[in-house]
């Protein structure tokens, strides 16, 4: 199953570009959900959205979509509010709310295609935002002027604007902004040499086959390669 959750909170800070605190808060909320519901194999977040994959073998709540949606959505909201103070000094000025939906995908290939689309969307949106705010903050354009300047441009045009006008190499922008956040279960050895499960935060490529080939068997023990 795939979840997409987006934030409709009104907050007391106005974003003018990438906001690491906001992303870390979303990541903490997703970690809380995964810790509470360990049938979730992986989660991917970018901007104000998060998607979760449940193991194919999961029987959580009898696989009732309405129960899973309401539980994940409420848990995410609770962890978001609970962790707010870790990342922001300003108080919430309006209760945050989240929407969710369930999508069933028949194969890992379909799951991969979905998450590839999410990561590609992250890149497209972040490249635009990086260029937009460079034009506003460093190029002294108004937001309307910056919007008009970027209207009809391609990725190559935006990269050229960033490099030639602001000496910004887009590839040097932090991966968490360009590629989003991937949460996945891993194992570490404790002092007594026993393995224990831990959540790992990655900012890696999930569009290529490598990530999915390496982790497909964890999604379902009967699988080892992309279908």
């Amino acid at each position: 199953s795939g979840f997409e959750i987006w934030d409709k909170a009104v907050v007391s800070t106005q974003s003018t570009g990438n906001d690491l605190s906001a992303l870390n808060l979303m990541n903490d909320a997703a970690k809380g959900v995964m810790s509470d519901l360990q049938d979730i194999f992986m989660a991917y977040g970018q901007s104000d959205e998060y998607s979760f994959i449940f193991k194919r073998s999961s029987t959580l709540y009898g696989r009732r979509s309405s129960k899973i949606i309401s539980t994940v959505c409420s848990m995410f909201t609770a962890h978001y509010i609970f962790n707010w103070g870790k990342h922001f000094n300003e108080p919430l000025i309006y209760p945050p709310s989240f929407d969710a939906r369930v999508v069933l995908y028949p194969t890992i290939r379909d799951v991969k295609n979905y998450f590839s689309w999410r990561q590609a969307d992250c890149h497209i949106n972040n490249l635009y935002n990086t260029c937009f705010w460079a034009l506003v903050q460093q190029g002294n354009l108004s937001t309307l002027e910056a919007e008009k300047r970027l209207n009809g441009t391609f990725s190559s045009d935006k990269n050229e604007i960033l490099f030639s006008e602001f000496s910004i190499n887009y590839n040097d922008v932090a991966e968490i902004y360009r590629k989003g956040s991937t949460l996945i279960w891993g194992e570490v050895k404790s002092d007594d040499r026993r393995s224990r499960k831990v959540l790992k935060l990655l900012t890696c490529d999930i569009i290529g086959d490598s990530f999915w080939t390496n982790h497909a068997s964890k999604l379902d023990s009967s699988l080892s390669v992309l279908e």
Side-chain angles (χ1 to χ4, degrees), residues 28-120:
D28 276 353
K31 288 176 183 177
V33 173
M34 290 185 70
S35 295
D36 292 339
L37 301 175
Q38 296 197 12
D39 272 7
I40 297 175
F41 155 73
M42 168 190 158
Y44 175 77
Q46 58 117 341
S47 185
D48 56 358
E49 300 180 2
Y50 241 101
S51 301
F52 299 89
I53 310 177
F54 279 82
K55 298 175 183 177
R56 176 182 287 179
S57 58
S58 175
T59 57
L60 182 69
Y61 303 131
R63 300 177 69 90
R64 287 176 291 156
S65 61
S66 59
K67 179 72 172 181
I68 293 172
I69 287 174
S70 62
T71 301
V72 170
C73 201
S74 62
M75 280 184 174
F76 194 96
T77 305
H79 284 290
Y80 186 92
I81 295 171
F82 182 79
N83 285 286
W84 175 270
K86 287 173 52 180
H87 303 283
F88 294 102
N89 294 323
E90 302 88 350
L92 279 165
I93 62 172
Y94 194 83
S97 62
F98 297 86
D99 289 14
R101 71 172 182 258
V102 161
V103 182
L104 296 177
Y105 292 109
T107 69
I108 292 181
R109 175 66 66 179
D110 294 311
V111 171
K112 173 191 175 296
N113 289 341
Y114 168 78
F115 281 90
S116 296
W117 165 62
R118 299 310 307 136
Q119 190 168 69

